[in-house]
């Protein structure tokens, strides 16, 4: 365990993945709470909702009709944050303060299941595997043919019944990065309860990715080609203080530097650059790890546990150095703190100075380890 005194005193922990620090205040867990509480989450959704824009056969807000899909379903977001075509913009090279640059790309919506009331926590690993196949197909379709990853990527396509053919046409221009993510729950701004995630491709490299990639590249250069997250995963498996779940391919941990109370990072145990590097066995192991994390989340407070989840992997287009330094991992950022009704807010000091947390990652991991087994609502 960490020095026992760290369970009682305020201290800072270093995040090598971002090159930043977080303040930890374990003694604050004893303070009374009289602030905002979230409503308890109850699963009362039907298997099919005729008013849902994402259910099979229904008409979406933009007017298009969904096919009667039976697995995953992919389509271009009717309200995309970025688009492939737009008016050209040439920034001024001399502008010092009022700088801007155009960004193009494509945004997809991916439903996880035709059932309106099933989340990742409700799905078994085999069902989650179909989602991983869809993510891999979309990534492959947008991968730069000149990328080192193109040599290992299978020319996969989504099954015809599972997507709008027009949505998976060849990109009009090469994107730099693809962010795969899910916002689960109204507390995380999810606008539709039907289980789904999003996939955004952009012509620019997002700041969070750029920061991590810079740190991963720096570590590799300073440690004779070793990979930061491979070394870190091995350390966590050895110490077993923050491990939530592990199998042969992946380990899920409440990282030493986690910001959110029950934040989890799922890390490949070997150097995997992107989805296309995963073997069939590793895809199944990844599906198992995702099922374990999301089910434990829901079991923790016996509620639909909100979170934002995202995959970080190699850019679609990049230098060989960038591609080789990239390391496949998944971030889960959940806001709940003490119960299904009390959430963590990043405000005040956290917005103006640096992130802060109360419950330690070690305490959070112990609680999540104890939440394995069958999903609580299947026992009701």
């Amino acid at each position: 365990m960490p020095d026992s005194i760290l369970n009682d005193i305020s201290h800072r922990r270093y995040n090598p993945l971002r090159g930043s620090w977080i303040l930890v205040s374990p003694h604050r867990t004893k303070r009374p709470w009289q602030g905002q509480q979230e409503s308890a989450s109850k699963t009362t959704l039907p298997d099919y909702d005729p008013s849902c824009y994402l259910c099979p056969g229904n008409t979406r807000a933009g007017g298009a009709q969904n096919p009667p899909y039976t697995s995953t379903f992919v389509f271009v977001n009717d309200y995309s944050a970025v688009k492939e075509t737009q008016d050209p913009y040439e920034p001024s090279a001399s502008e010092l303060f009022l700088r801007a640059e155009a960004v193009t790309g494509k945004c997809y919506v991916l439903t996880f299941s035709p059932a309106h009331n099933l989340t990742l926590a409700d799905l078994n690993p085999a069902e989650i595997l179909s989602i991983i196949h869809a993510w891999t197909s979309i990534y492959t379709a947008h991968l730069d043919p000149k990328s080192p990853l193109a040599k290992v990527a299978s020319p996969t396509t989504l099954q015809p019944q599972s997507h709008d053919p027009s949505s998976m046409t060849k990109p009009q221009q090469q994107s730099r990065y693809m962010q795969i993510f899910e916002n689960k729950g109204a507390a995380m701004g999810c606008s539709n309860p039907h289980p789904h995630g999003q996939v955004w491709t952009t012509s620019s490299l997002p700041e969070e990715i750029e920061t991590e990639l810079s740190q991963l590249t720096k570590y590799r250069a300073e440690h004779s080609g070793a990979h930061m997250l491979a070394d870190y995963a091995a350390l966590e498996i050895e110490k077993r203080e923050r491990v939530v779940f592990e199998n042969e391919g992946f380990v899920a941990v409440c990282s030493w530097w986690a910001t959110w109370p029950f934040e989890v990072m799922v890390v490949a145990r070997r150097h995997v650059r992107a989805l296309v590097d995963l073997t069939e066995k590793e895809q199944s192991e990844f599906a198992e790890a995702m099922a374990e994390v999301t089910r434990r989340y829901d079991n923790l407070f016996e509620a639909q546990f909100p979170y934002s989840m995202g995959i970080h992997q190699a850019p679609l287009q990049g230098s060989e150095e960038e591609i080789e330094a990239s390391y496949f991992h998944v971030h889960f950022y959940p806001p709940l703190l003490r119960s299904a009704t009390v959430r963590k807010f990043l405000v005040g000091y956290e917005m103006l100075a640096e992130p802060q947390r109360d419950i330690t990652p070690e305490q959070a991991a112990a609680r999540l380890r104890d939440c394995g087994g069958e999903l609580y609502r299947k026992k009701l």
Side-chain angles (χ1 to χ4, degrees):
M1 292 292 290
D3 294 337
S4 58
I5 193 173
L6 294 184
N7 290 324
D8 299 310
I9 68 167
S10 55
H11 61 280
R12 297 171 86 205
R13 296 191 181 192
Y14 181 65
N15 179 352
L17 195 53
R18 299 194 76 259
S20 60
W21 292 83
I22 175 173
L23 175 64
V24 183
S25 312
H27 54 283
R28 275 168 52 93
T29 57
K30 302 174 183 177
R31 68 180 178 137
W33 178 261
Q34 294 180 316
Q36 177 178 329
Q37 296 191 355
E38 301 296 317
S39 299
S41 176
K42 298 179 181 179
T43 304
T44 57
L45 299 174
D47 181 69
Y48 168 76
D49 182 350
S51 65
C52 171
Y53 296 137
L54 299 181
C55 278
N58 289 358
T59 301
R60 300 200 300 272
Q65 185 174 16
N66 299 329
Y69 65 93
T70 58
S71 181
T72 57
F73 170 52
V74 182
F75 62 92
V76 174
N77 196 322
D78 297 317
Y79 301 97
S80 296
V82 291
K83 297 183 178 182
E84 287 192 287
T85 58
Q86 61 185 12
D87 293 336
Y89 172 72
E90 295 295 334
S92 171
S94 62
E95 183 56 63
L96 181 60
F97 294 110
L98 308 181
R99 295 176 60 185
E101 63 179 25
V103 179
T104 57
K106 204 167 187 177
C107 299
Y108 297 95
V109 174
L110 169 65
T111 63
F112 297 154
S113 166
H116 185 72
N117 56 357
L118 298 182
T119 67
L120 285 181
D122 296 283
L123 303 179
N124 61 44
E127 291 168 321
I128 293 177
L129 187 59
S130 67
I131 300 170
I132 294 171
H133 288 161
W135 285 337
T136 305
S137 294
I138 301 171
Y139 184 89
T140 301
H142 289 267
L143 187 61
D144 183 1
K146 299 178 182 178
S147 169
L149 290 166
K151 298 177 182 178
V152 299
S154 300
T156 54
T157 57
L158 300 179
Q159 296 181 7
Q161 61 87 30
S162 67
H163 70 96
D164 173 1
S166 65
S167 72
M168 291 298 293
T169 55
K170 184 176 178 61
Q172 296 182 24
Q173 60 268 324
Q174 180 60 55
S175 290
R176 180 87 158 95
Y177 192 75
M178 174 178 288
Q179 182 59 61
I180 297 170
F181 65 98
E182 178 199 7
N183 294 322
K184 179 188 175 185
M188 304 308 292
C190 182
S191 61
N192 189 314
H194 192 112
H196 71 284
Q198 298 186 56
V199 180
W200 292 12
T201 70
T202 55
S203 56
S204 58
L205 190 66
E207 277 197 357
E208 196 70 16
I209 308 306
E210 188 172 27
T211 297
E212 285 192 0
L213 191 51
S214 175
Q215 290 295 107
L216 292 171
T217 302
K218 179 181 177 183
Y219 184 94
R220 190 165 180 246
E222 295 176 350
H223 294 82
S224 305
H227 293 278
M228 176 197 295
L229 290 182
D231 290 348
Y232 177 64
L235 175 67
E236 289 289 20
I237 291 170
E238 176 188 346
K239 290 186 171 294
R240 314 204 65 77
E241 297 162 353
R242 288 165 294 275
V243 173
V244 174
F245 171 81
E246 66 175 298
N247 55 29
E248 290 186 14
F250 290 85
V251 60
V253 301
C254 293
S255 59
W256 169 262
W257 54 80
T259 296
W260 295 94
F262 293 96
E263 178 180 327
V264 166
M265 182 168 63
V266 179
V267 187
R269 295 177 66 161
R270 74 171 180 94
H271 179 219
V272 172
R273 299 165 297 180
L275 283 162
V276 295
D277 273 342
L278 296 175
T279 64
E280 288 186 10
K281 181 174 181 292
E282 287 171 333
Q283 288 180 332
S284 295
E285 290 164 346
F286 180 36
E288 182 186 27
M290 296 292 279
E292 285 286 342
V293 171
T294 53
R295 188 172 68 252
R296 288 166 192 266
Y297 272 162
D298 279 19
N299 283 347
L300 180 62
F301 298 133
E302 295 193 343
Q304 292 278 3
F305 203 85
Y307 57 75
S308 281
M309 173 276 291
I311 295 175
H312 284 180
Q313 58 186 326
L316 296 169
Q317 181 184 58
S319 67
E320 184 171 351
E321 181 183 44
E322 287 178 327
I323 302 300
E324 293 307 312
S326 297
Y327 201 100
F328 185 86
H329 61 286
V330 180
H331 292 289
F332 281 89
Y333 298 142
L336 297 187
L337 174 58
R338 303 183 184 195
S339 70
T341 63
V342 178
R343 64 178 294 187
K344 163 76 174 177
F345 291 93
L346 290 181
V347 296
Y349 186 89
E350 290 119 321
M351 293 181 70
L352 300 167
E354 68 184 10
Q356 180 272 340
R357 66 176 292 137
D358 296 343
I359 179 176
T360 67
E362 295 76 27
Q363 293 168 336
R367 294 185 63 181
L368 289 172
R369 279 196 299 271
D370 291 340
C371 291
E374 188 178 17
L375 185 64
Y376 79 93
R377 52 183 167 268
K378 292 186 178 180
K379 304 175 185 178
L380 299 179

